[in-house]
């Protein structure tokens, strides 16, 4: 049974790691696969006794070696620790059910993760000291599927993995890593932000179940000179889309060498209120797929990054070795860590590109024609299963100047969950549309939650309210937050819609306090809808509707910091 002091220590993990990052630039290890290749292991090595009769070939399944050749994995960890790295990554890049299905080893996922963390923890314990603790990063890799892209050219709305399947796989892996002794978790080599959001969702569920938290690192992959991930997001849109995880660091790894990766690290370092990490490849691969950049050349570039104040955590990815990491340790040791940028609490959303709302952004245009309750034409197209023309309506909205796209499938004659899922999956294949943030609009929580499971960017839900009471309101807000969304909040409670100034400000204040203080929602992610009613009807009871609305908005702006209004 955990004591109160144990719990206090567990709650301080994140604080402790943040303090450690203030003392120096931390160095994580280098490539695992590169080192394993040097051992020339056979099919029998990968199988060991435990999987000698397994019905699939397993050579190349590096994660399996944590169970069948733990001596090899431990030796690799120790080689990196010998040269002075601070952080060791577990041998779990593909230790998830989705990736292990290729080898028929889905049932071994928990054991793979637990054993990998135990091996790394044992090695770190032998090298740790009071002034230089060595810590274990539990690695959650990207899987070999993508939730945002279709595997079929002829059907852009098709998917070969679901958000919930990813969550299930990441949950098992996460529990194994923590039970094995991981000090941190890292979602890494992210090529599809929706996959990463599934990992974040799984991690949050695990933390809630355990009543404890661990530091979370997030590392994406810029795939080429376009400066975007494989699923099309810019580096800033990616970082803003995963910020709801409250990560201790966000950064980039793999695909590029240090020279090619620097602009994206520098851009992140310019604005990020969290630590910045990078572990690039040893240059770009040659025609044989090998990496030729020498330790000295790579360290010289990373040393320049450190001198320019870009780094909090650095290491190596494909092609790097203990020699590379020895040179990197030496190149950054005399440079202070990057100072975190202050959080300006600016409202921001993201599609493939970010949308940032500074103090000068007085109005944002929301396109509302992709809405079955607001457009007869869109409603007819969906009822007739004409999604191709329905997509054209979205494109017209974008071309007409919409900055956010509102999407609604509330209609009694259709399956709203299925329609929302299909439409958003189709829009993901239209970069000129998907560059905008989406507002997932519904009065039904099931449709809202289905929509958020299709969006890799930072979306907005429209809406939640206190109509069903505080418990339902907080549950809806926490779910939206866990899925990375901002939220429209209606001035509505159990007594109905607020139709006076006093009712508007009372309900909005109550909702704001609940969201900020209990649900952990950043105030800049709250958008109040203070209710527009009929104006100019001539009825005496409607006489103050417009005035009360305007005065309520003025009060919200003055008294509920950073919240926005609709």
């Amino acid at each position: 049974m955990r004591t109160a002091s144990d719990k206090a220590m567990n709650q301080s993990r994140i604080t402790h790691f943040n303090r450690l990052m203030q003392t120096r630039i931390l160095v994580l290890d280098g490539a695992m696969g590169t080192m394993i290749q040097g051992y020339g292991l056979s099919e029998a090595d990968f199988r060991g006794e435990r999987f000698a009769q397994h019905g699939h070939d397993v050579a190349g399944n590096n994660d399996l070696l944590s169970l069948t050749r733990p001596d090899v994995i431990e030796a690799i960890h120790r080689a990196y620790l010998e040269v002075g790295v601070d952080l060791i990554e577990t041998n779990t890049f593909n230790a998830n059910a989705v990736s292990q299905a290729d080898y028929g080893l889905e049932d071994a996922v928990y054991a793979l993760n637990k054993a990998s963390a135990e091996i790394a923890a044992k090695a770190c314990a032998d090298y740790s000291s009071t002034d230089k603790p060595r810590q274990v990063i539990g690695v959650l890799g990207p899987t070999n599927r993508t939730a945002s892209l279709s595997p079929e050219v002829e059907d852009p709305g098709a998917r070969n993995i679901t958000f919930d399947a990813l969550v299930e796989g990441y949950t098992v892996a996460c529990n194994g890593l923590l039970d094995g002794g991981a000090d941190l978790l890292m979602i890494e080599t992210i090529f599809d932000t929706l996959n990463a959001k599934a990992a974040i969702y799984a991690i949050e569920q695990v933390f809630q179940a355990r009543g404890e938290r661990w530091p979370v690192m997030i590392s994406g992959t810029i795939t080429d000179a376009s400066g975007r991930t494989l699923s099309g997001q810019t580096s800033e849109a990616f970082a803003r889309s995963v910020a709801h995880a409250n990560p201790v660091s966000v950064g980039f790894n793999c695909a590029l060498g240090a020279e090619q990766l620097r602009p994206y690290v520098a851009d992140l370092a310019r604005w990020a209120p969290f630590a910045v990490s990078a572990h690039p490849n040893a240059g770009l691969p040659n025609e044989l797929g090998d990496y030729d950049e020498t330790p000295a050349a790579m360290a010289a570039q990373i040393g320049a990054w450190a001198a320019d104040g870009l780094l909090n955590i650095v290491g190596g990815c494909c092609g790097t070795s203990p020699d590379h990491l020895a040179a990197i340790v030496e190149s950054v040791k005399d440079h202070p860590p990057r100072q975190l940028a202050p959080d300006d609490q600016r409202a921001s959303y993201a599609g493939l590109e970010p949308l940032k709302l500074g103090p000068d952004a007085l109005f944002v245009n929301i396109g509302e024609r992709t809405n079955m309750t607001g457009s007869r034409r869109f409603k007819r197209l969906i009822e007739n299963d004409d999604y191709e023309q329905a997509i054209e309506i979205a494109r017209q909205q974008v071309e007409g100047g919409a900055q956010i796209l509102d999407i609604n499938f509330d209609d009694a004659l259709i399956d709203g969950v299925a329609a929302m899922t299909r439409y958003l999956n189709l829009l993901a294949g239209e970069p000129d549309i998907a560059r905008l943030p989406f507002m997932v609009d519904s009065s039904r929580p099931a449709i809202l939650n289905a929509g958020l499971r299709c969006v890799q960017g930072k979306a907005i839900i429209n809406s939640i309210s206190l109509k069903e009471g505080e418990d339902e309101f907080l549950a809806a807000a926490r779910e939206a937050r866990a899925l990375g969304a901002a939220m429209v909040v209606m001035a509505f409670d159990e007594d109905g819609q607020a139709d006076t100034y006093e009712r508007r400000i009372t309900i909005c204040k109550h909702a704001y306090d609940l969201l900020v203080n209990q649900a952990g929602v950043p105030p800049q992610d709250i958008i109040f809808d203070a209710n527009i009613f009929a104006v100019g009807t001539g009825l005496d009871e409607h006489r103050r509707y417009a005035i009360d609305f305007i005065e309520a908005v003025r009060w919200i702006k003055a008294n509920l910091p950073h919240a926005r209004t609709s």
Side-chain angles (χ1 to χ4, degrees):
M1 182 175 178
R2 290 188 176 91
T3 66
S5 60
D6 289 333
K7 290 185 177 181
M9 181 185 68
N10 292 334
Q11 292 167 355
S12 69
R13 289 187 186 100
I14 296 169
T15 300
H16 173 73
F17 188 75
N18 283 331
R19 286 174 178 165
L20 185 61
M21 285 195 294
Q22 294 171 10
T23 65
R24 63 181 182 277
I25 296 172
L26 301 181
V27 181
L28 56 80
D29 57 8
M32 175 62 73
T34 299
M35 297 291 287
I36 289 173
Q37 288 173 13
Y39 281 81
L41 301 176
S42 66
E43 174 78 16
D45 287 306
F46 281 90
R47 286 180 176 275
E49 292 184 9
R50 182 168 179 171
F51 300 99
Q53 304 304 315
H54 187 63
H56 288 254
D57 291 341
V58 294
N61 185 3
N62 290 344
D63 308 75
L64 192 59
L65 297 172
S66 294
L67 295 175
T68 58
R69 290 296 306 271
D71 57 313
V72 170
I73 303 306
E74 184 175 350
I76 293 170
H77 289 329
R78 289 179 178 275
Y80 285 118
L81 289 163
E82 283 285 350
V83 301
V85 305
D86 301 282
L87 307 170
I88 289 292
E89 300 169 82
T90 56
N91 178 41
T92 53
F93 186 80
N94 287 306
N96 58 77
V98 178
S99 299
Q100 288 300 315
D102 289 349
Y103 301 98
L105 289 169
E106 302 97 311
D107 292 341
V109 166
Y110 175 84
L112 289 173
N113 283 278
K114 186 172 185 289
S116 295
E118 288 172 341
I119 294 166
K122 179 176 180 291
C124 284
D126 290 345
Y127 283 84
S128 286
S129 62
T130 302
D131 62 335
K132 192 174 175 66
R134 312 299 182 97
Q135 295 185 291
V136 177
I137 298 175
V139 168
L140 297 167
T143 82
N144 54 9
R145 303 288 179 92
T146 168
S148 291
L149 301 174
S150 172
E152 304 172 22
V153 174
E154 64 277 8
D155 184 3
R159 297 292 185 270
N160 59 12
I161 192 70
T162 66
F163 185 92
D164 288 337
L166 287 165
V167 169
E168 183 179 355
Y170 280 126
T171 299
V172 175
C174 184
N175 277 313
L177 290 168
L178 296 180
D179 288 345
D183 299 298
L184 306 89
L185 295 172
M186 177 165 64
I187 309 166
E188 73 151 314
T189 320
I190 299 161
F191 55 79
D192 181 350
T193 310
L194 190 53
N195 287 35
K197 289 172 75 175
I200 292 168
Y201 189 88
I203 288 170
E204 181 60 25
Q205 287 189 318
V206 169
F207 288 175
Q208 290 290 336
R210 289 173 175 255
E212 304 173 33
R213 291 189 173 273
W214 282 257
V216 175
M217 300 171 62
I218 297 177
S219 184
T221 295
I222 303 298
T223 54
D224 55 37
S226 71
R228 295 177 183 258
T229 63
L230 182 66
S231 56
Q233 277 197 309
T234 66
S235 59
E236 184 172 353
F238 156 73
R240 293 189 182 277
S241 298
V242 298
H244 64 286
N246 294 319
V248 292
S249 69
V250 176
F252 302 105
N253 74 288
C254 205
L256 302 176
E259 179 181 358
Q260 297 80 21
L261 193 60
R262 175 171 174 138
Y264 312 113
V265 174
D267 182 64
L268 187 60
R270 173 183 53 80
W271 65 268
F274 35 72
V276 170
S277 73
H279 44 300
N281 292 345
L284 296 175
N286 61 28
E287 61 275 9
L288 298 177
D290 296 325
Y291 296 87
D292 298 326
E293 190 160 78
T294 66
M298 187 174 183
Q301 294 184 65
I302 288 177
W305 294 11
D308 290 340
L310 305 182
L311 293 172
N312 300 100
I313 303 171
V314 69
C317 201
C318 300
T320 58
S321 67
D323 289 341
H324 288 86
L325 269 297
I328 289 171
V329 167
E330 189 67 23
S331 72
V332 303
K333 70 176 185 178
D334 295 326
H335 298 291
R338 164 187 169 269
Q339 296 299 302
L340 276 57
D343 186 352
D344 61 9
Q345 294 190 293
R346 172 186 298 188
S348 64
Y349 320 105
L352 298 182
E353 298 171 5
L355 175 63
K356 297 168 288 184
L357 306 184
D360 298 330
L362 297 180
F363 293 100
V364 176
N365 297 320
I366 301 176
E368 293 195 331
R369 297 297 87 195
T370 48
N371 185 321
M372 291 189 71
T373 65
S375 169
R376 290 183 179 179
R377 182 184 173 208
F378 187 75
K379 176 179 166 67
R380 285 196 302 269
L381 290 172
I382 298 302
E383 289 175 342
N384 294 327
D385 203 40
D386 190 350
Y387 279 77
E388 184 175 344
Q389 285 303 308
I391 289 171
E392 288 307 307
I393 290 181
R395 182 171 285 107
Q396 290 164 12
Q397 294 279 275
V398 175
E399 292 171 350
Q403 295 165 279
I404 296 172
L405 202 61
D406 179 276
I407 301 164
N408 180 292
F409 287 94
D410 281 2
D411 189 274
L413 299 179
I414 67 164
D415 182 340
V417 168
M420 180 68 80
T421 300
R422 182 180 177 189
Y423 192 64
L424 288 174
N425 283 346
L426 288 168
L427 289 185
E430 304 289 336
D432 56 330
I433 301 172
R435 66 181 178 82
L436 266 62
F438 294 152
M439 178 177 282
V440 182
D441 184 353
S442 180
S443 60
R444 293 168 50 194
I447 296 178
L448 294 176
N449 293 335
L452 293 182
R453 282 164 163 78
C454 300
V455 179
Q456 68 167 320
K458 180 176 178 180
I460 305 165
I461 61 165
N462 184 10
S463 59
I464 61 173
S465 76
L466 284 158
K467 179 170 59 175
E468 304 296 335
E470 289 186 6
D471 291 344
E472 292 292 329
F473 177 68
L474 287 169
R478 288 177 176 130
E479 181 71 1
R481 174 71 177 154
L483 291 165
M487 55 205 74
V488 174
V489 180
M490 291 191 67
F492 204 129
D493 67 7
E494 291 166 299
D495 295 325
Q497 280 185 289
D499 59 358
T500 66
Y501 169 77
E502 290 77 14
R503 287 259 298 146
R504 285 179 168 98
I505 67 171
T506 298
I507 292 173
C508 290
K509 176 68 164 64
H510 186 198
Y512 182 92
D513 290 342
L514 289 171
L515 291 172
V516 174
N517 299 324
Q518 294 192 38
V521 176
Q524 63 268 29
D525 283 352
I526 302 170
I527 305 163
F528 283 110
D529 181 343
N531 299 332
I532 293 285
F533 292 106
V535 175
T537 65
L539 298 176
D540 188 64
E541 59 264 34
H542 297 172
R543 187 167 54 88
R544 286 197 55 87
Y545 275 177
I547 295 170
D548 283 352
F549 172 81
I550 292 168
E551 290 182 351
V553 168
R554 180 182 293 119
W555 186 91
I556 290 168
K557 297 289 187 184
N559 293 278
L560 304 181
H562 306 293
R564 292 193 166 262
T565 58
S566 166

